[in-house]
Amino acid sequence: MNFKETLQGKTREIEEIIKAYLPREEGLQRTVLEAMNYSVLAGGKRLRPMLMQETYGMFGGEGELIHPFMAAIELIHTYSLVHDDLPAMDNDEFRRGKKTTWAVYGEDMGILAGDALLNYAFETAAQAFSLPGAENYAGRALQILTKKAGIYGMIGGQVVDVQAAGKPLEQERLEFIYALKTGALIESSMMIGAVLAGAEEPLVKQVEQAARDVGLAFQIQDDILDVTSSLEVLGKPIHSDDKNEKTTYVTIKGLEQAKADVEQISRRAMETLKSLPCGNPFLLELIEMLITRES
Amino acid sequence: MNFKETLQGKTREIEEIIKAYLPREEGLQRTVLEAMNYSVLAGGKRLRPMLMQETYGMFGGEGELIHPFMAAIELIHTYSLVHDDLPAMDNDEFRRGKKTTWAVYGEDMGILAGDALLNYAFETAAQAFSLPGAENYAGRALQILTKKAGIYGMIGGQVVDVQAAGKPLEQERLEFIYALKTGALIESSMMIGAVLAGAEEPLVKQVEQAARDVGLAFQIQDDILDVTSSLEVLGKPIHSDDKNEKTTYVTIKGLEQAKADVEQISRRAMETLKSLPCGNPFLLELIEMLITRES
């Protein structure tokens, strides 16, 4: 099997794991359960659970202890999108070609479905405490999961991003947003994979460092693609970030420097990962694909 | 010291415990940290942490293992109020005589502060895994905390309540809302107190049953007071629930039957608690006060 086929197979497997943890749509509170499942099943590359599972495997992790955390990280990612789309936030009615949660179920149910997804993420992760092996590692994994999703992680980045809307951004603030809003959940995914496989703290720190670089490179590549893809299609660099007068890595550093930085940051991430005492060729290829992707 | 003085002393102590866990208002994401602390410090009886601590003590629990969970349950209660007050929900600009969180910080920050409080509740509870004694009990406590706050607990009740707005309610649906929206966090508080003190599962189940009755009696008493307090003041039963044409326990069962039911349910709660192998006179007095309160 080539990389693409392996990727597809693994994505299908993750899809099944996530589905197994979704709530059954029954009871008087059924509407919110439907809204939650609608949001989770609206698509997505399942990148975070995949990074978690692959890091887990790289450190020799086996068995189902990782499953509730894989579902949990995707539920957290999903809730963040549901709340981002709300009228009082980005006011988006469509995402990935489908109506957003609030656009289907109403604004009040959009808020409640997001709350429910976030709470259910931790409820799902807490199921790990009933599985073998939990006693040693699940507490630490939960500390990472909660911290990286919160005010010192994803929410922190989101707050600074919301407050920056319509204003010029300096590089420090932009990198803060990238590190927290995008990077934190990627760090969380890979760190939890390492922790649950029993990796020692210094190795977990190395994984965190690599994941931070992966997140940053991924986000800068996003900014680059936003310019180059429209250049290709339209012959001129009119792009969504530009229309919103949004500061991006490219508007600060220029296209060529941004490309050079992605190259350098991703090489550093690869070196960090390759310096670990164990390896996972698929994980390296996956990260390579994320960073050098053309769309 | 009489009961009232003891109650005040314990409330002050809990206030200090909660404050010790609040985030420092620093960093680029400072606004959301200010909004979180504003919401938590806007007042409240700290009833849930108190029930938790008293149940913990009743089962012989000692030390600080309970502290992060006491803060966590209050953070969850607070986030639920912050999101309830949002324009797309109850649209309340004032609570307890103070401006609500969104009214001070804006609607977007109201959503984010609520998310942040919910996430931080679990982040705080997860700190327990670094304390002595956590290995045996904190996982189970976290399972209870997450479940009772979520779709099978408080959020589930909130969803049914939101969907019932402006429509007549049958008793089954009303009791579902009371059991989940109000009862679940009270159950969670008392159960976690028992679990962290090392109580066996059958005793935790008894505590859950008693807490369920406490929550129900508390809520029915709320409905009763809504009628009787305006009767006293105004000489006629014009009350807030009536204006909103809201179905309450009193509109379904009548005032006298509601009073008789509170009496019966609270007697049952007391009997369940007294049948436990250990007792806490202050806890019994506290519950008595909650259920028979006149305002």
Side-chain angles (χ1 to χ4, degrees), chain A residues 14 18 21 40 46-53 66-81 117-118 120-122 124-125 141 144-149 154 182-193:
Chain A
I14 291 169
I18 293 170
Y21 284 96
V40 176
R46 313 308 186 194
L47 173 62
R48 291 157 194 81
M50 189 173 289
L51 288 169
M52 188 185 284
Q53 191 174 39
I66 195 79
H67 288 186
F69 283 92
M70 289 169 61
I73 198 84
E74 192 68 14
L75 288 164
I76 291 172
H77 174 58
T78 305
Y79 116 80
S80 76
L81 303 181
L117 285 163
L118 175 58
Y120 193 64
F122 297 121
T124 301
I144 295 167
L145 185 70
T146 51
K147 183 172 178 194
K148 296 288 184 185
M154 187 181 68
T182 312
L185 285 199
I186 291 176
E187 291 165 28
S188 175
S189 303
M190 293 182 66
M191 289 170 78
I192 288 170

Side-chain angles (χ1 to χ4, degrees), chain B:
Chain B
M1 270 201 297
N2 61 26
F3 173 74
K4 202 178 156 194
E5 285 164 352
T6 311
L7 179 66
Q8 285 172 344
K10 283 175 185 282
T11 306
R12 274 194 300 271
E13 190 201 322
I14 291 169
E15 204 72 35
E16 291 310 310
I17 292 170
I18 292 170
K19 276 186 193 163
Y21 283 97
L22 294 182
R24 290 169 61 162
E25 298 175 1
E26 61 188 18
L28 293 178
Q29 71 277 56
R30 193 169 51 240
T31 307
V32 78
L33 309 177
E34 288 171 7
M36 290 164 74
N37 292 348
Y38 174 83
S39 318
V40 175
L41 299 175
K45 296 182 291 290
R46 313 308 186 193
L47 173 62
R48 291 156 193 82
M50 189 173 290
L51 287 170
M52 188 185 285
Q53 191 174 37
E54 291 304 319
T55 311
Y56 185 63
M58 181 171 71
F59 284 101
E62 285 178 2
E64 296 186 1
L65 186 58
I66 195 79
H67 288 186
F69 283 93
M70 289 168 63
I73 198 84
E74 192 67 14
L75 289 163
I76 291 172
H77 174 58
T78 305
Y79 115 82
S80 77
L81 302 181
V82 170
H83 276 188
D84 271 15
D85 290 335
L86 285 169
M89 306 283 284
D90 287 350
N91 195 22
D92 279 323
E93 286 184 61
F94 288 91
R95 176 180 288 274
R96 301 184 190 122
K98 293 186 78 169
K99 280 206 158 191
T100 52
T101 308
W102 75 266
V104 174
Y105 294 93
E107 198 176 341
D108 51 1
M109 216 44 73
I111 293 168
L112 286 167
D115 293 349
L117 285 163
L118 175 59
N119 190 98
Y120 193 62
F122 297 122
E123 190 173 346
T124 301
Q127 288 188 38
F129 290 103
S130 303
L131 296 175
E135 54 280 359
N136 294 319
Y137 309 125
R140 176 78 185 113
L142 208 90
Q143 288 179 333
I144 294 167
L145 186 71
T146 52
K147 182 172 178 194
K148 296 288 185 184
I151 49 180
Y152 306 113
M154 186 182 68
I155 294 176
Q158 173 67 353
V159 167
V160 178
D161 195 23
V162 163
Q163 292 192 306
K167 291 178 221 161
L169 266 179
E170 66 276 31
Q171 188 172 344
E172 182 207 352
R173 203 172 286 260
L174 186 76
E175 290 195 0
F176 180 94
I177 295 171
Y178 286 4
L180 271 66
K181 193 176 172 182
T182 311
L185 286 199
I186 291 176
E187 292 165 27
S188 175
S189 303
M190 294 182 67
M191 289 170 78
I192 288 171
V195 163
L196 289 182
E200 299 288 337
E201 198 58 29
L203 294 179
V204 177
K205 282 259 172 279
Q206 266 185 274
V207 167
E208 181 177 28
Q209 185 56 55
R212 182 170 302 152
D213 282 338
V214 170
L216 185 56
F218 180 81
Q219 189 59 57
I220 299 173
Q221 183 68 5
D222 219 48
D223 292 347
I224 293 171
L225 287 172
D226 194 60
V227 181
T228 56
S229 63
S230 55
L231 260 173
E232 260 174 46
V233 177
L234 305 171
K236 53 181 179 174
I238 291 176
H239 49 83
S240 60
D241 289 338
D242 216 39
K243 271 188 298 188
N244 303 326
E245 291 176 34
K246 196 168 178 174
T247 308
T248 74
Y249 201 88
V250 175
T251 64
I252 289 180
K253 293 260 215 154
L255 189 57
E256 289 316 307
Q257 186 60 49
K259 283 180 176 174
D261 287 356
V262 164
E263 178 65 29
Q264 192 228 326
I265 295 165
S266 53
R267 198 166 50 234
R268 196 170 61 196
M270 289 300 180
E271 277 164 16
T272 309
L273 285 175
K274 284 176 185 163
S275 75
L276 293 169
C278 37
N280 176 343
F282 177 80
L283 178 62
L284 294 181
E285 268 196 277
L286 175 66
I287 291 172
E288 182 82 25
M289 179 204 77
L290 290 173
I291 292 170
T292 61
R293 74 197 190 284
E294 299 291 329
S295 66

Side-chain angles (χ1 to χ4, degrees), chain A residues 83-96:
Chain A
H83 277 187
D84 272 14
D85 290 334
L86 285 169
M89 305 283 284
D90 288 350
N91 195 20
D92 279 323
E93 286 184 62
F94 288 90
R95 178 181 287 275
R96 301 185 191 119

Side-chain angles (χ1 to χ4, degrees), chain A residues 33-280:
Chain A
L33 309 178
E34 288 172 6
M36 290 164 73
N37 292 347
Y38 174 83
S39 317
V40 176
L41 299 175
K45 296 183 290 290
R46 313 308 186 194
L47 173 62
R48 291 157 194 81
M50 189 173 289
L51 288 169
M52 188 185 284
Q53 191 174 39
E54 292 303 318
T55 310
Y56 184 64
M58 180 171 72
F59 283 101
E62 284 178 3
E64 296 185 3
L65 186 58
I66 195 79
H67 288 186
F69 283 92
M70 289 169 61
I73 198 84
E74 192 68 14
L75 288 164
I76 291 172
H77 174 58
T78 305
Y79 116 80
S80 76
L81 303 181
V82 170
H83 277 187
D84 272 14
D85 290 334
L86 285 169
M89 305 283 284
D90 288 350
N91 195 20
D92 279 323
E93 286 184 62
F94 288 90
R95 178 181 287 275
R96 301 185 191 119
K98 294 184 77 169
K99 281 205 159 195
T100 51
T101 308
W102 74 267
V104 176
Y105 294 93
E107 199 176 339
D108 51 0
M109 216 45 71
I111 294 168
L112 286 167
D115 293 349
L117 285 163
L118 175 58
N119 190 98
Y120 193 64
F122 297 121
E123 190 173 345
T124 301
Q127 289 189 37
F129 289 103
S130 304
L131 296 175
E135 54 281 358
N136 294 319
Y137 309 124
R140 176 78 186 113
L142 208 89
Q143 288 179 333
I144 295 167
L145 185 70
T146 51
K147 183 172 178 194
K148 296 288 184 185
I151 49 181
Y152 306 113
M154 187 181 68
I155 294 175
Q158 172 67 353
V159 167
V160 179
D161 195 24
V162 163
Q163 292 192 305
K167 292 178 221 163
L169 265 180
E170 66 276 32
Q171 189 173 345
E172 183 208 351
R173 205 172 284 262
L174 186 77
E175 290 194 1
F176 180 95
I177 294 170
Y178 286 3
L180 271 65
K181 193 176 171 180
T182 312
L185 285 199
I186 291 176
E187 291 165 28
S188 175
S189 303
M190 293 182 66
M191 289 170 78
I192 288 170
V195 164
L196 290 182
E200 299 289 336
E201 198 58 29
L203 295 179
V204 176
K205 282 260 173 279
Q206 266 185 274
V207 167
E208 181 177 29
Q209 186 53 56
R212 182 170 301 153
D213 282 338
V214 169
L216 185 56
F218 180 80
Q219 188 61 56
I220 299 173
Q221 183 68 7
D222 218 48
D223 292 346
I224 292 171
L225 287 173
D226 193 59
V227 181
T228 54
S229 63
S230 55
L231 261 173
E232 260 174 45
V233 176
L234 305 170
K236 53 181 178 173
I238 291 176
H239 48 84
S240 60
D241 290 336
D242 217 38
K243 270 188 299 186
N244 303 325
E245 291 176 34
K246 195 168 179 174
T247 308
T248 74
Y249 202 87
V250 175
T251 63
I252 289 179
K253 293 262 214 155
L255 190 57
E256 289 316 306
Q257 187 61 49
K259 283 180 176 175
D261 287 356
V262 164
E263 178 65 28
Q264 193 228 322
I265 295 165
S266 53
R267 198 165 49 234
R268 196 170 60 196
M270 289 300 180
E271 277 164 16
T272 309
L273 285 175
K274 284 175 184 164
S275 74
L276 293 168
C278 39
N280 175 344

